[in-house]
């Protein structure tokens, strides 16, 4: 049974803030890619590979670390991962070369998976009829962390050496560690007598058995891939088209506040109507965004409107898919989340890689073409893979 008395409004807020601070580590690199290339005297494509390594590291952390949430005490596991994340951030701050920085970025990705332990923990503690609302609130913290990380990184990169972005991130995570140690609810579950190898071996079986999980994984792969297509190349486009720097790239990230404001509303829509409908809206908004980028992206107003639509589409997809995944099984909630988020960030890392490659060869047209491929995949998955018309909450 869930411990509903443990999940107060303050606890939900703390979980939302924690997910935002930690997930921010993955996105600090995006607005400062040009600065990193200049510092290490490497090509922008090389820095794009490093950005991909961060996302790829996160994907593998999701695959190999997050399932531990079904075995070990989540209260302790979250704090252990936060300590490792702090060490990885300090390594990035001190990196003397692009190779060392690339390895540090990989470790930043691997160790920043605590939000994906917190999310199923919040769903576990939430009253069953309000899981969508709780997840929407926690995920609004996640999106806030993503958009503020771009803004903070871009602004700091314009006034300080970009390395200090990682030092400040390490300090923020250290403060968060102390707060979580004091105020995060203790995990009421007993230690599960399950072997780690069997846990990992069960992941393919979960994906094969859960048709709804398959649909969520494909949709998350495509929609987050589309999001990263833009954010991994926006700084390059701004410099080329408008001769603007990392500070503007960071400020544009603030436009994602639209998605944050709608997160709780999206969660209630999922509870009231169906995730299939809200996922369809996510695909629609993301498609409209890239139609605008491709047609009038050379106008600044086009970028602004497109970014708002894209972040809104990403949030619709994220909240809806998480609601599906967390409704499947209590005992396997961390493993289901691991499968979904591995696919999610694998899509993000490939979106980063192919968009950066396309930019270096074909410019903005190439970037929009890569997005079109991901969007077609999202639409086909939505049409042909199984997604629930209505969620059946587990308690």
């Amino acid at each position: 049974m869930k411990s509903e008395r443990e999940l107060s409004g303050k606890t939900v807020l703390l979980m939302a803030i924690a997910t935002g601070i930690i997930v921010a580590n993955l996105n600090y690199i995006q607005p400062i890619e040009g600065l990193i290339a200049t510092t290490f005297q490497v090509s922008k494509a090389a820095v794009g590979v490093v950005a991909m390594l961060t996302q790829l590291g996160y994907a593998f952390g999701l695959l190999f670390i997050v399932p531990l949430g079904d075995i070990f005490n989540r209260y302790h596991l979250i704090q252990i991962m936060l300590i490792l994340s702090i060490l990885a951030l300090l390594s990035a701050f001190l990196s003397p070369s692009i190779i060392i920085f690339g390895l540090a970025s990989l470790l930043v990705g691997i160790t920043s998976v605590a939000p994906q332990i917190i999310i199923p923990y919040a769903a576990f503690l939430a009253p069953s009829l309000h899981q969508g609302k709780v997840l929407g609130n926690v995920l609004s913290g996640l999106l806030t962390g993503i958009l503020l990380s771009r803004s903070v990184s871009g602004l700091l990169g314009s006034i300080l050496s970009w390395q200090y972005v990682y030092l400040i991130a390490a300090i923020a995570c250290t403060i968060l560690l102390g707060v979580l140690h004091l105020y995060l609810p203790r995990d009421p579950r007993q230690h599960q007598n399950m072997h780690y190898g069997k846990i990992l071996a069960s992941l393919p079986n979960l994906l094969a058995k859960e048709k709804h999980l398959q649909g969520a994984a494909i949709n998350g792969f495509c929609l987050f891939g589309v999001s990263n297509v833009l954010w991994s190349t926006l700084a390059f486009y701004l410099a080329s088209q408008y001769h603007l720097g990392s500070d503007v790239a960071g400020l544009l990230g603030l436009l994602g506040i639209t998605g944050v404001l709608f997160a709780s509303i999206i969660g209630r829509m999922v509870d009231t109507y169906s995730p299939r409908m809200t996922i369809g809206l996510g695909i629609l908004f993301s498609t409209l965004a890239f139609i605008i980028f491709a047609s009038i992206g050379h106008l600044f107003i086009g970028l602004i409107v497109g970014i708002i639509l894209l972040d809104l589409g990403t949030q619709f997809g994220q909240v809806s898919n998480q609601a599906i995944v967390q409704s499947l099984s209590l005992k396997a909630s961390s493993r289901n989340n691991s499968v979904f988020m591995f696919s999610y960030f694998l899509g993000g890392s490939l979106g980063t890689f192919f968009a950066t490659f396309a930019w270096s060869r074909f410019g903005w047209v190439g970037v929009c073409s890569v997005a079109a491929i991901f969007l077609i995949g999202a639409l086909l998955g939505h049409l042909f893979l199984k997604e629930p018309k209505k969620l059946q909450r587990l308690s």
Side-chain angles (χ1 to χ4, degrees), residues 44-240:
K44 293 175 181 177
V47 180
V49 171
V50 174
M52 180 197 72
L53 287 175
T54 307
Q55 301 286 341
L56 198 60
Y58 193 73
F60 280 101
L62 292 166
L63 189 63
F64 293 108
I65 296 174
V66 171
L68 293 174
D70 284 339
I71 308 175
F72 297 115
N73 185 294
R74 287 168 175 160
Y75 169 79
H76 296 300
L77 183 59
I78 290 165
Q79 294 178 69
I80 291 170
M81 295 314 304
L82 195 50
I83 292 170
L84 295 176
S85 185
I86 292 167
L87 295 175
L89 290 166
L90 291 175
S91 298
F93 167 67
L94 297 170
S95 296
S97 68
I98 189 64
I99 294 176
I100 300 300
F101 180 68
L103 292 173
S105 296
L106 180 66
L107 291 175
V108 167
I110 293 172
T111 59
S112 295
V113 295
Q116 303 310 323
I117 302 171
I118 293 172
I119 289 169
Y121 193 26
F124 174 80
L125 294 172
S128 59
L129 295 178
H130 300 289
Q131 282 186 2
K133 181 180 177 181
V134 169
L135 287 171
N137 289 332
V138 175
L139 288 167
S140 69
L142 194 80
L143 184 60
T144 301
I146 292 173
L147 72 91
L148 288 182
S149 67
R150 294 167 182 151
S151 303
V152 169
S153 177
L155 291 172
L156 288 177
S158 68
I159 59 177
L160 297 172
S161 176
W162 62 264
Q163 288 93 336
Y164 283 93
V165 172
Y166 290 93
L167 177 61
I168 293 170
I171 293 171
C173 286
T174 302
I175 295 171
L176 176 64
L177 177 63
V179 174
L180 290 179
H181 181 73
L182 292 174
Y183 298 109
L184 188 69
R186 271 50 173 182
D187 193 339
R189 302 173 308 156
Q190 298 296 320
H191 175 79
Q192 304 298 303
N193 188 23
M194 303 174 71
H195 191 272
Y196 177 62
K198 291 183 178 179
I199 284 286
L200 292 183
S202 71
L203 297 181
N205 292 332
L206 285 174
L207 182 61
K209 181 179 70 173
E210 293 285 4
K211 301 301 181 182
H212 296 328
L213 181 59
Q214 294 171 13
I218 293 295
N219 183 264
F221 177 97
C222 294
L223 285 187
F224 194 57
V226 167
S227 176
N228 275 22
V229 164
L230 173 75
W231 290 110
S232 61
T233 55
L234 181 61
F236 302 151
Y237 185 64
L238 287 173
S240 172

Side-chain angles (χ1 to χ4, degrees), residues 3-23:
S3 182
E4 298 183 7
R5 59 185 172 83
E6 296 229 22
L7 200 64
S8 66
K10 291 181 179 179
T11 301
V12 174
L13 178 61
L14 174 60
M15 289 178 160
I17 292 172
T19 58
I21 290 174
I22 301 168
V23 81

